[in-house]
Amino acid sequence: DWPLADRCEVQGNRSGGNMCRCFCEHFHFCARHSAVMRATVPVMVIAAALTAYYVYIPLPNTVSEPWKLMLLDATFRGVQDMCHLVQQLGLGHHLKALNFVITMFEMLAPQSSEMVEVTDTSFDGVQVRVFEPKKKVDGELKRSIIYIHGGGWALGSARMRSYDHLCRKMAKDMNAVLVSIEYRLVPEVHFPEQINDAYSATKYFLQPEILSQYSVDPNRIAVSGDSAGGNLAAAVTQQLVMDRSINIRLKLQALIYPVLQALDFNTPSYQQTTATPILYKQVMARFWLEYLNGDPSFVQAMLINNHTASNLSQLTSIRDRLNWTNLLPQSFIKNYKPVIQIMGSPQVLKELPALLDPRAAPLIADKEILQLLPRAYILTCEHDVLRDDGIMYAKRLEDAGIEVTLDHYEDGFHGAMIFALPPTNFDVGNKIMNNYINWLDKNL
C-alpha cells in the first residue's frame, strides 16, 4: 500500500540498481504522452473535418475523376483566397499575384528537341513562341496553327509547361508550325489590348514573306485557342475577314470551350453548373469586369442579368443572337427558363459599352460577318458554365452557312485540356487533346 515513489525507492535500495527508477520514468512519460494524445486527437479530427468540408463539393456522377477535380479545385480556391488577401493588404493586384503563383514553377525556356525547334521571338512587337518541326521534305510546305492561350485574359502564358507541351505535341504530331502568342494580360492592360496583341501577331505572321521564311503553306493555316484564348481566336478570325489589306484567308478556326459573351449569365449551362469546378459563375463575371476594366460592384447586377433587362433599348437589335431558347437543342435546355429582368439599370452598359462589341463578344457578330468565316471546330464540356456559349456560336455559324464540327464531352469540365500532365493530369484532358489534334490533322 506504499506510494509508488516510496516503493520504487525501497526496491531501488534493495536491488542496488536502476530498474525501478527506469520503470517510474517510463510510467510518467506514458502518462504525459497519453495526455498529449487525448488533446491532439480532437484537434486532428476537427482539422480533418474542416479540410474535408473545404475540399468536398457534390459533383455530378458523369464528371471525370471527381475526387481529383475536388482536390485541384480546393487548391485553386485556396490560392485565390491567399491572393485576395495580398490585395487587401495592399501588396499588389490579386490577379497578378495569382498568375505569379500559377506560373512560378511552370515557365519553361525555349528548349528544342530532336523533333521540334523552339524559339522565342516577336511579331510586330508581340512576344511569340514558335515551334518548328525538324522533319523536312524537299519542296513541301507545312501547315500552321496560331494558338492563343486561355486564362481569363489575366492568367497563363505561352511559355507555361502545359501550353508548351500542347504546342510541341501539335508541331510534332502534325508536322506543323505552331505560333503561340504571348499577349499582354490584366491588370497591366485591358480590352482591347489583348485582342490587339493577338491580331497584330497574327497579321504579321500572315505576310507572304514571313510565311515563306517558316515554309508555311498560305492555304493551310488555322487560328485556335482555349477559354479566353478561344474568345480571342474567334475575334481575330472575325477581324481578319474584314481586313482588306490581308489577302490570305484562314482555312480553319478551332475554339476550345470558348467564352463568347457577357450579356447572359443565366444560360442553361450557367444555371446548371453554378457550383461546379473549376470555373464558377461569379468568377467568370469577375474576369469579364477585369478584362473590360469595369467596376467590381457590377458583379451582382450581371449575375442576375440586370444589365440586359428588357427595358434597355441598346439590346433590341441583338437579342435574337443571344436567344438560347432558339439556339440550343432541347437536350441542353432541359427545364431551364430564361432570366429576363423587366426593369434594369443602364449603368453597366453605359460604363461598359464593350459588352456590345463583337471584338469582346464574338457571339453577337453580324450574320454578314459570320458568313465570311472559315470552317469551325468548337469543343464544349458538359460541366462548364461556358458550354452554351460554344453551342450557340456553332448554331449561329451553321445558320450563316458555315460548316461546323461540334465536339462535346459529357465528362469534361472547363480547362480540362490543359490538365494533361502529372500531377494534374486527367483522362478526359488527354482524350480532349488527342481528339482535337486528330481533327486538325485530318482537316487542315
Side-chain angles (χ1 to χ4, degrees), residues 192-393:
E193 296 310 315
Q194 284 84 346
I195 176 65
N196 288 345
D197 282 358
Y199 190 73
S200 294
T202 300
K203 186 174 180 178
Y204 178 90
F205 182 64
L206 292 180
Q207 296 177 95
E209 59 271 26
I210 303 301
L211 295 179
S212 176
Q213 177 185 330
Y214 287 99
S215 300
V216 168
D217 185 340
N219 297 311
R220 304 178 74 189
I221 301 171
V223 167
S224 184
D226 64 295
S227 191
N231 168 281
L232 296 174
V236 164
T237 305
Q238 292 180 7
Q239 293 296 300
L240 284 172
V241 299
M242 295 186 287
D243 192 336
R244 295 183 179 179
S245 69
I246 299 177
N247 295 320
I248 294 171
R249 296 303 177 201
L250 299 176
K251 184 175 182 180
L252 301 171
Q253 57 176 321
L255 314 178
I256 313 300
Y257 33 76
V259 49
L260 299 170
Q261 59 86 28
L263 296 170
D264 189 350
F265 283 92
N266 289 278
T267 62
S269 60
Y270 266 113
Q271 295 186 51
Q272 169 183 287
T273 322
T274 298
T276 302
I278 60 174
L279 181 62
Y280 296 93
K281 178 178 178 177
Q282 189 173 72
V283 171
M284 190 65 248
R286 287 174 177 168
F287 272 132
W288 269 109
L289 287 171
E290 292 285 356
Y291 180 42
L292 303 181
N293 202 19
D295 188 331
S297 68
F298 289 162
V299 166
Q300 292 307 315
M302 294 171 69
L303 291 178
I304 61 172
N305 287 354
N306 195 51
H307 63 312
T308 55
S310 56
N311 69 310
L312 302 177
S313 59
Q314 303 99 308
L315 296 160
T316 302
S317 62
I318 64 169
R319 288 195 186 276
D320 286 346
R321 305 173 192 183
L322 297 162
N323 185 358
W324 50 261
T325 61
N326 292 332
L327 295 172
L328 294 178
Q330 186 58 45
S331 59
F332 292 108
I333 295 175
K334 300 177 183 175
N335 294 320
Y336 295 107
K337 304 298 181 184
V339 176
I340 303 173
Q341 305 295 343
I342 303 301
M343 297 295 293
S345 170
Q347 193 66 24
V348 178
L349 289 179
K350 181 179 179 180
E351 294 193 20
L352 299 176
L355 287 168
L356 303 178
D357 189 331
R359 292 177 300 165
L363 177 61
I364 64 173
D366 292 340
K367 186 175 182 178
E368 291 73 20
I369 300 300
L370 300 185
Q371 290 172 335
L372 302 175
L373 297 179
R375 182 181 177 186
Y377 170 89
I378 299 177
L379 188 150
T380 57
C381 292
E382 180 65 18
H383 309 290
D384 180 8
V385 294
L386 302 180
R387 180 198 69 185
D388 295 343
D389 282 26
I391 297 173
M392 288 192 289
Y393 195 50

